[in-house]
Amino acid sequence: MFDYLRDPQEIYAKSFATIEAEADLARFSDDQQPVAIRIIHACGMVEMAARIAFGGDLVGSATAALRSGKPVLCDAEMVRQGIISRLLPAENKIICTLNDDTTHDIANRLGTTRSAAAVEAWADHIEDAIIAIGNAPTALFHVLEAIHEGRLSKPAAIIGMPVGFVGAAESKDALIDHAGDIPFVTLRGRFGGSAVTAATVNALARLARDDATTPDGTLDRRNGGMP
């Protein structure tokens, strides 16, 4: 009935070729480009390239953490469900504490959202972990505050991409300005969400799984970011 492309490999190849042809990728390092491409692919918008902001050695820190078996801490169930567990290099745990029995009581006690309160339950897992926030600006603010106050240990990397009209842009500006020495990646402005956050984790998982050294000892990332 409809004439459309059906071959999955050809669809991927054409999608990534379109991104490389239309998006401004020149400002990203070789390490960052596969992650940026996956973010753009998840958004379906090449103009998002201008909004992607990296801090520190995001790729190096995140892939090392994943290969060493550190968990991924998510602010929302949709983020957790979007992460492809078979890509994770060390059977890494994917943790979301939003619906834990104690979260509602903590939110009431702190006078904040459940998403922010759920961060409190990350204390035993957060050191050198990957944080993936794709829904709640309050969770990103709370993480930054708790780390700054010394109540939470430093993670290996923060993927901070909450979406929305209230606090989303501001929380990502706070990440850029106050992450300190914690590597991060974010999307400036209101855009973000669970799908693009999960896609970022999946891109890093692919790189962690596929990284190999070339004869001169450098990392070979030719397969990074591709299916």
Side-chain angles (χ1 to χ4, degrees), residues 75 97-100 102-108 111-120 136 138-139:
D75 71 319
T97 56
L98 180 64
N99 295 312
D100 284 6
T102 59
T103 300
H104 183 76
D105 291 338
I106 294 172
N108 286 337
T112 189
T113 66
R114 284 194 305 123
S115 297
V119 169
E120 293 292 313
T138 54

Side-chain angles (χ1 to χ4, degrees), residues 24-101:
D24 180 9
L25 303 174
R27 68 186 183 87
F28 302 116
S29 68
D30 289 344
D31 283 357
Q32 294 168 351
Q33 280 197 16
V35 179
I37 288 170
R38 283 284 175 176
I39 292 171
I40 295 165
H41 182 255
C43 297
M45 303 167 67
V46 295
E47 56 267 35
M48 281 296 156
R51 295 182 176 271
I52 300 171
F54 286 92
D57 184 13
L58 180 278
V59 174
S61 183
T63 54
L66 290 172
R67 285 195 299 273
S68 67
K70 296 299 183 180
V72 182
L73 308 180
C74 308
D75 71 319
E77 291 289 344
M78 287 183 67
V79 177
R80 178 164 71 174
Q81 295 301 323
I83 296 171
I84 304 171
S85 58
R86 64 177 172 80
L87 294 178
L88 296 169
E91 298 183 356
N92 309 72
K93 290 182 179 180
I94 308 170
I95 297 171
C96 178
T97 56
L98 180 64
N99 295 312
D100 284 6
D101 292 340

Side-chain angles (χ1 to χ4, degrees), residues 5 28 83 127 151 159 192 207:
L5 194 58
F28 302 116
I83 296 171
E127 186 172 3
R151 293 187 292 106
I159 301 167
L207 289 169

Side-chain angles (χ1 to χ4, degrees), residues 15 18 28 53 106 142 151 181-182 192 195 218:
S15 295
T18 299
F28 302 116
I106 294 172
H142 198 84
R151 293 187 292 106
D181 58 356
I182 302 171
T218 59

